[in-house]
Amino acid sequence: MIESNKIWLDGQMLDYQDARIHVLTHGLHYGTGVFEGIRSYATPRGNALFRFDDHIRRLYNSGKAYFMHYEFSPNELKRATVEVIKANELNECYVRIIAYYGYGKLGVNPLPNRVSIAISAWQWTEHIKKQDLDQGVHLMVSSWEKIGIKSMPTHAKGVANYANSALARMEALKSGFDESILLNSNGYVVEASAENIFLVKNGVLYTPPISTGALEGITRDSIIEIAKKNRIEIRFENITRDELYYFDEIFLTGTASEIVPVGHIDHRKIGGGSIGPITKKLREEFDDIVRGRSELVGDWLTFL
Ligand SMILES: Cc1ncc(COP(=O)(O)O)c(C=O)c1O
């Protein structure tokens, strides 16, 4: 990763190298943390954070599931985030806010420990080139089952949920695929390891309901709103593994990866094997909105 200059930790702006934690930090041993990933984009009116309030709201909801008491109000965290971006002199960047049970008492119960919050930001670099992206990524259905809604709070962006994601992602990469799709215990498609999934058939847009265990993604919600504005019908339906193979278009959505067309799943070509017309239209509109070139959804940008 590209190192930046400053990281905010519990109210203090520290030099990058000094933002350290104790090895006996509770969150490190038991996964008792929650986090957010937020993108800042360069727009004609200056840099802007995309759906900043929605990300902060989700950070508070995630913390609620884990009985976390934050010592900072949403406005204080928002101010601190802007300070971090400015202190690092960043334009397009990725912001990571993490709240975790800290050092103090090391047993399964995290409650005796202070909840710390850290805010970092670093320069964003595309991990897959756009021209490659038009070809569509290759996915596999993971042998790992998605953690169940009765096992973990799946609405929360909890650190511990990502052990499941990491296993699925590693399996995909080691098997020569780009990413995994996870099914739930009922055999229904949930999402990819770090992205929601959308599917298109006969001009209708589909996505699995949140009750499958999918994260209520902010990019997912953005695509739903953009589709509604374009009068594209959207259905929230359970989808089985082999149904995936018969869709005309499939794409993934997430803050980090934005809109990613899918070319193949389990070695089966999806539609024409490259980006389809509806995916292209939604991706273009999404790009225009985040980069401030469209007034379609005016209040999604917070200018720094
Ligand atoms: C498991 C999972 N699903 C979906 C998403 C997409 O969510 P968002 O669009 O809010 O980034 C993410 C993002 O990190 C994720 O980790």
Side-chain angles (χ1 to χ4, degrees):
M1 65 185 292
I2 299 170
E3 291 188 6
S4 45
N5 299 323
K6 299 281 181 188
I7 290 179
W8 185 97
L9 180 60
D10 292 329
Q12 282 186 293
M13 194 67 82
L14 303 175
D15 286 337
Y16 188 89
Q17 305 297 346
D18 295 336
R20 298 172 187 280
I21 58 163
H22 198 279
V23 292
L24 297 179
T25 295
H26 197 279
L28 182 63
H29 289 251
Y30 297 105
T32 49
V34 300
F35 70 99
E36 273 304 317
I38 312 172
R39 287 282 286 274
S40 170
Y41 290 93
T43 82
R45 288 171 54 201
N47 297 330
L49 286 151
F50 184 61
R51 301 198 63 171
F52 195 16
D53 286 321
D54 295 310
H55 281 284
I56 296 291
R57 195 172 305 120
R58 190 169 65 183
L59 183 74
Y60 276 78
N61 285 342
S62 298
K64 188 171 185 183
Y66 286 89
F67 296 107
M68 285 180 161
H69 168 72
Y70 299 160
E71 291 170 18
F72 302 91
S73 68
N75 278 337
E76 285 169 328
L77 289 185
K78 283 174 67 180
R79 268 198 299 277
T81 302
V82 174
E83 275 171 32
V84 170
I85 296 173
K86 289 190 171 162
N88 288 299
E89 297 173 10
L90 290 164
N91 292 324
E92 300 237 322
C93 68
Y94 178 86
V95 177
R96 172 59 62 88
I97 309 181
I98 184 164
Y100 57 93
Y101 282 102
Y103 167 81
K105 206 156 192 282
L106 204 58
V108 170
N109 174 21
L111 295 173
N113 300 301
R114 179 186 182 192
V115 174
S116 280
I117 302 188
I119 307 174
S120 322
W122 57 87
Q123 190 188 323
W124 188 251
T125 48
E126 300 288 349
H127 23 219
I128 312 173
K129 288 204 185 77
K130 288 276 182 223
Q131 64 265 32
D132 297 339
L133 258 187
D134 281 359
Q135 295 310 312
V137 292
H138 289 234
L139 307 187
M140 66 177 283
V141 173
S142 183
S143 67
W144 294 101
E145 187 176 294
K146 175 75 188 181
I147 42 169
I149 53 173
K150 289 194 286 184
S151 312
M152 298 289 278
T154 51
H155 277 79
K157 207 166 156 58
V159 169
N161 296 0
Y162 285 84
N164 182 234
S165 292
L167 287 165
R169 178 72 69 93
M170 288 190 289
E171 182 184 30
L173 297 178
K174 284 195 173 287
S175 311
F177 295 87
D178 299 308
E179 173 61 304
S180 272
I181 294 177
L182 291 102
L183 309 180
N184 65 17
S185 60
N186 295 318
Y188 293 121
V189 171
V190 181
E191 60 186 349
S193 76
E195 301 90 17
N196 291 111
I197 186 166
F198 283 88
L199 314 94
V200 179
K201 196 190 275 178
N202 299 330
V204 177
L205 192 60
Y206 295 80
T207 193
I210 292 302
S211 55
T212 54
L215 183 72
E216 198 160 13
I218 290 168
T219 321
R220 176 185 184 272
D221 182 68
S222 306
I223 288 297
I224 292 168
E225 286 302 312
I226 296 169
K228 281 186 194 159
K229 289 210 159 46
N230 280 283
R231 300 187 190 286
I232 297 171
E233 186 184 342
I234 168 133
R235 295 188 196 155
F236 302 91
E237 283 189 11
N238 282 324
I239 291 149
T240 59
R241 177 178 187 162
D242 86 302
E243 276 179 299
L244 287 170
Y245 307 151
Y246 317 123
F247 277 90
D248 303 329
E249 299 176 38
I250 297 184
F251 60 94
L252 307 178
T253 64
T255 297
S257 15
E258 302 177 311
I259 317 300
V260 182
V262 174
H264 292 77
I265 298 180
D266 294 338
H267 301 292
R268 276 84 167 177
K269 200 195 271 189
I270 304 303
S274 58
I275 191 165
I278 292 191
T279 308
K280 203 174 173 88
K281 165 114 187 107
L282 293 170
R283 192 174 78 178
E284 278 168 9
E285 295 220 359
F286 179 82
D287 279 350
D288 283 346
I289 291 169
V290 298
R291 297 206 157 72
R293 296 188 297 253
S294 162
E295 292 302 315
L296 196 62
V297 189
D299 57 356
W300 281 354
L301 296 179
T302 302
F303 291 90
L304 301 191

